[in-house]
Structure formats: structure tokens, C-alpha cells
Amino acid sequence: MKNFLYFIALLSGCCATAQYEIVYNLEKGKSYPQNQVVTSEQHQVINGMPQDITTIITTESDYVVTDIKDEIYYLDIVVKKMSTETKSPMGTEIISSDGPESNAMNTIFKNMIKEPIKMTMNKHGEILSFDNSAQIEGLTDDVEMPQMQLLQVEAALKKEMSIEKQTSNYEQLTTILPKDKVAIGDSWNQTITVNSIAAFEATSSFQLKEVNEESYIISSNAILKTPDDASTSLNGMKASYTLSGPSSGTYTIDKKTGWITTASLRQELEGDIIIEKSEMMPQEMKMTMKTETTTIIN
């Protein structure tokens, strides 16, 4: 009888599945680095003419925990360095925050990282507030550029740096953690906002793949598809678009802090963009596009 009960207890122990609460556990006063390299390869065919563009965006950032109140983290995102390299049939252009000031865009990038971004989030990574106003202020200080061109560049940058767009971009990395305890093999879903030609929502599925002594390994998958009858404005011209494709990724999460230590993400989009005829565009223009974007985090 004793052996039988022991066997039942052993069997129950083997069948029990370990549950893990994966949340942020950051410390006040500490800094958590996150460096990213985003490579986007864009293949376009415009009115039958092919055109390839490769863009590499590199950022080095520290997330500094300035305070913790009621399980809410107050963070300063300090961007230490940022650069963009664009390769096209016209040649290669490099813009860098530590590049020579003879390039006006280098000065703008340098201005962009003078002040930190202020952000609050809960232990699940949901962003509660986001303030990059200090980053935008003084964007064109000491920039030598024709006034009309300067205004156009400033307007384009401020559009890309809007609170809504920046919040959704950061949330794609902060809100990957599950809201409930999970076991190996369990899955959960998150709604993400994809900022491509225009912003649209998609559902990403995450799964706890592996647990070791130091890390959680999480995978993600999604099928991206723009809404029906989606449209946007490109340089003041109305454009409709149909884009779709898969997205996948693997994240290594530190067990103690919940912080991403490394990640590798891949996103593909393919489809058509049609710019409607107007006073600026006398004929309708069709653009076939395929974009492959990889993001490496360390």
C-alpha cells in the first residue's frame, strides 16, 4: 500500500506542470540597456520600373528607473546614439548623431538625443504614459538648411515622432509578457500596432518555449494584413494600399528582471500601393512593394 501511494504521489509530481509568473522586476536607480539594429529591405516596382532600397537603423539606449510607485515604473529612456544608413540606386546616405556637423541631418539627430524620453509602465509592460516633448523641442537648433526645406524636414520628423506612433513602437517590445502565470508550451495573444506605410493593428501570438536557469525563451508569430479599403496620405496625395505577410520572433528574457537580453525578429509585408490621380498626380500610379525587416536586440 505504501509503495502504491508513493507511486501515485510520484506520478502526480511528474504530471504537475510548473507555472511561471513572467513580469518586470526592475530596481530603482538601475539602468537597463537595449541596443537595436533594424534592417529593412524594400523592393519596389513603380510603373514597371524596379527600385530597391535598404535602410539600417541603429540605436543604443539605456532605460533608467527613476522611481517605482504602486508597482508602476518611472523610466527615463536615454538614447545614447542613433544612426540611419540608406542604400538606394542614388547611392548611400548615412545620418548619425555623432557624425560631422557639416551634415545638417547629423545635427538634428544630435538634437534628438539631448533629452531623455519619459515613460511609465506597469509590471506587465503596458505603457501608461509617454512623453517625448523634450526630445522634440529644439529639434532644429543650430541646423543650417534652407528655411522651406527645414520646415518640411521638421514636419516629417514630428509626424514620425508623434506620441501615438512612438508609444505603439515601444509597446511592441514591452508588452510581450503574459498577464497570467504560464507553463512551458502555453500561449497568449497581444494586439500590436504595425507602423508601415500607415498604422494598422494585428494580433501576435506568443508562446513560452523554454525555461533555463537564467532565462525564459519566448517565441512570437503573427499574420499581418492591412484592413480592407485602407488608405493613407503620401506627400499630400491619397493612396490606397493592400499589404500582408508573416511576422515571427524569438526573445530571451532575464528571469530576475523580465528584461529582454536578446531578441531576433523578422517581419514581411507584400502588396500594392495605388496613388490616386490628383492635381499633383495627373495619372494613377501603382507601386508593387515587398518589404523584409529584421530586428536584432542585444
Side-chain angles (χ1 to χ4, degrees):
M1 184 67 174
K2 183 187 292 185
N3 290 340
F4 177 75
L5 292 175
Y6 175 77
F7 174 75
I8 294 298
L10 182 63
L11 185 63
S12 298
C14 291
C15 293
T17 304
Q19 297 280 317
Y20 302 94
E21 184 181 22
I22 310 175
V23 295
Y24 285 101
N25 184 28
L26 310 180
E27 294 184 36
K28 182 178 177 178
K30 285 203 170 183
S31 177
Y32 300 87
Q34 189 175 95
N35 303 323
Q36 290 188 47
V37 178
V38 180
T39 303
S40 179
E41 297 183 358
Q42 194 174 95
H43 311 282
Q44 300 177 347
V45 179
I46 304 173
N47 289 339
M49 299 293 292
Q51 178 175 299
D52 292 347
I53 301 173
T54 299
T55 305
I56 303 171
I57 302 172
T58 304
T59 56
E60 297 179 11
S61 305
D62 284 337
Y63 290 63
V64 182
V65 183
T66 60
D67 205 355
I68 304 172
K69 295 178 182 178
D70 299 324
E71 296 188 327
I72 302 300
Y73 294 106
Y74 292 72
L75 300 165
D76 276 4
I77 305 175
V78 180
V79 182
K80 299 184 294 184
K81 180 181 177 180
M82 60 185 297
S83 66
T84 299
E85 180 179 356
T86 304
K87 302 176 183 177
S88 72
M90 302 296 292
T92 299
E93 180 184 22
I94 298 175
I95 304 171
S96 175
S97 58
D98 60 1
E101 294 184 3
S102 55
N103 184 330
M105 291 303 300
N106 289 345
T107 302
I108 290 177
F109 270 33
K110 190 173 296 184
N111 290 338
M112 287 172 62
I113 66 172
K114 282 181 179 180
E115 300 292 337
I117 298 167
K118 303 284 186 178
M119 185 176 84
T120 61
M121 72 176 188
N122 63 22
K123 65 180 182 179
H124 298 293
E126 295 171 321
I127 295 178
L128 307 176
S129 68
F130 188 92
D131 181 8
N132 63 344
S133 58
Q135 191 187 38
I136 294 175
E137 286 180 13
L139 199 62
T140 57
D141 288 353
D142 303 318
V143 176
E144 296 184 7
M145 188 182 290
Q147 184 66 16
M148 184 61 70
Q149 184 182 358
L150 187 62
L151 291 173
Q152 290 174 342
V153 170
E154 186 177 23
L157 285 172
K158 285 183 176 180
K159 183 179 178 180
E160 289 301 312
M161 296 167 65
S162 69
I163 289 177
E164 293 78 14
K165 182 169 285 191
Q166 289 296 299
T167 299
S168 65
N169 286 342
Y170 278 93
E171 276 192 328
Q172 286 192 44
L173 295 177
T174 63
T175 60
I176 67 171
L177 306 183
K179 291 183 173 63
D180 302 308
K181 289 184 178 181
V182 291
I184 294 175
D186 284 351
S187 298
W188 61 97
N189 294 330
Q190 299 282 15
T191 299
I192 60 173
T193 300
V194 180
N195 288 305
S196 181
I197 298 301
F200 61 95
E201 289 189 345
T203 299
S204 187
S205 175
F206 296 88
Q207 184 179 54
L208 180 60
K209 300 290 288 186
E210 181 185 338
V211 178
N212 57 43
E213 188 174 340
E214 297 180 347
S215 306
Y216 300 109
I217 310 299
I218 293 174
S219 67
S220 69
N221 286 282
I223 297 298
L224 310 178
K225 187 178 185 302
T226 56
D228 295 337
D229 302 321
S231 63
T232 188
S233 177
L234 294 177
N235 297 323
M237 297 175 290
K238 186 177 179 181
S240 59
Y241 56 91
T242 305
L243 300 168
S244 62
S247 174
S248 61
T250 301
Y251 307 80
T252 301
I253 308 295
D254 184 273
K255 289 181 75 173
K256 292 181 179 178
T257 64
W259 198 253
I260 296 175
T261 53
T262 62
S264 177
L265 317 173
R266 181 179 178 85
Q267 177 183 301
E268 297 179 26
L269 283 173
E270 186 172 2
D272 297 327
I273 301 170
I274 298 176
I275 300 177
E276 298 180 6
K277 62 180 181 179
S278 62
E279 292 181 2
M280 298 174 63
M281 180 73 63
Q283 291 185 336
E284 181 182 274
M285 184 174 74
K286 182 177 180 179
M287 181 190 310
T288 300
M289 176 183 292
K290 181 178 182 181
T291 302
E292 300 170 1
T293 303
T294 58
T295 302
I296 302 297
I297 298 173
N298 56 41

